[in-house]
Amino acid sequence: MSLRSPLGRVRGLGSAKSGTEHFWMQRVTAVALIPLTLWFVYSVIALAGEDHATATAWLQAPTTAVLMIVMIAATFHHMQLGLQVVIEDYVHGEGVKIASLMVMKGASLLLAVAAAFAVLKVAFGG
Amino acid sequence: MSNGDRPLSPHLQIYAWQWTMALSILHRASGVGLAVGTVIMVWWLMALANGASAFDVVQTVIAHWFGKLCLLGWTWALFYHLCNGIRHLVWDTGRGFELDTARNSGYLVFAASVVFTVLAWIAGYSAMGGM
Ligand code: HEM
């Protein structure tokens, strides 16, 4: 059962087909990405030139694996929201626009799942 | 709903090119660049999961001068987008729109992105034990 009132449900479905959700999630993920990407850059620098065993050991540490999953989620969510705006700005034909958005969202999801799966596989020692 | 009489803003080409405009489009360009860069990140993670020989292939490609050039571009795109993203978040609070403040924060963001990129690469090379 939804606790939202009919008015609440209707709101945000004007001609833009959404409310402030998109704008807000772009900001929330942006804030999350500040520490996450700094940590990731730091990690990549520390791993520069290291071999497979060292990189595996790094990713198998629970803290690393958890932070990586969170970073992957924030990155691809933010990326997909951002690219949507870029496509909406430059692609004007309705059909091409919808097709471009579908391809872009599909590719983002695929990349996100692949990244998360790789992290989990390494973390669980596969 | 179409109203032919409404005033339209002049086309983009009419405006004199300005520093702040360049930085603005660069936020979008760096965002798209970072999106392309995620493919490398996913490839790197998949290779790590696939084992030592797959991982060595990625490491070799990245160590090539062209791989390094891409990585350098990606580092700068990330630092620029991050710094300018913070500038955006400050704007979202309604602050920093005065003309000279906006111009100066632009200079600051640009300089910071270059400095952070150089520092990151110095750190990377020293982590590998020098050149
Ligand atoms: C590091 C922390 C990051 C911060 C603080 C940040 C911040 C932001 C902000 C505030 C916006 C909205 C700008 C606007 O309203 O015009 C934005 C847009 C965008 N971001 Fe990020 N971002 C970060 C990381 C990333 C990453 C890692 C990616 C890609 C994988 C990315 C891709 C994009 C894209 C494609 C846009 C849309 C650009 C546009 O509409 O012009 N961002 N970012």
Side-chain angles (χ1 to χ4, degrees), chain A residues 26-27 30 33-34 37 75 78 82, chain B residues 27-28 31 34 81-82 88:
Chain A
Q26 183 98 58
R27 315 294 132 167
L33 280 169
I34 298 172
T37 54
T75 296
H78 180 89
Chain B
H27 190 77
R28 175 159 284 192
L34 287 170
H81 193 91
L82 192 154
H88 263 282

Side-chain angles (χ1 to χ4, degrees), chain B residues 50-66:
Chain B
N50 275 330
S53 56
F55 189 69
D56 285 345
V57 173
V58 183
Q59 295 294 72
T60 311
V61 171
I62 290 175
H64 188 264
W65 69 264
F66 186 72

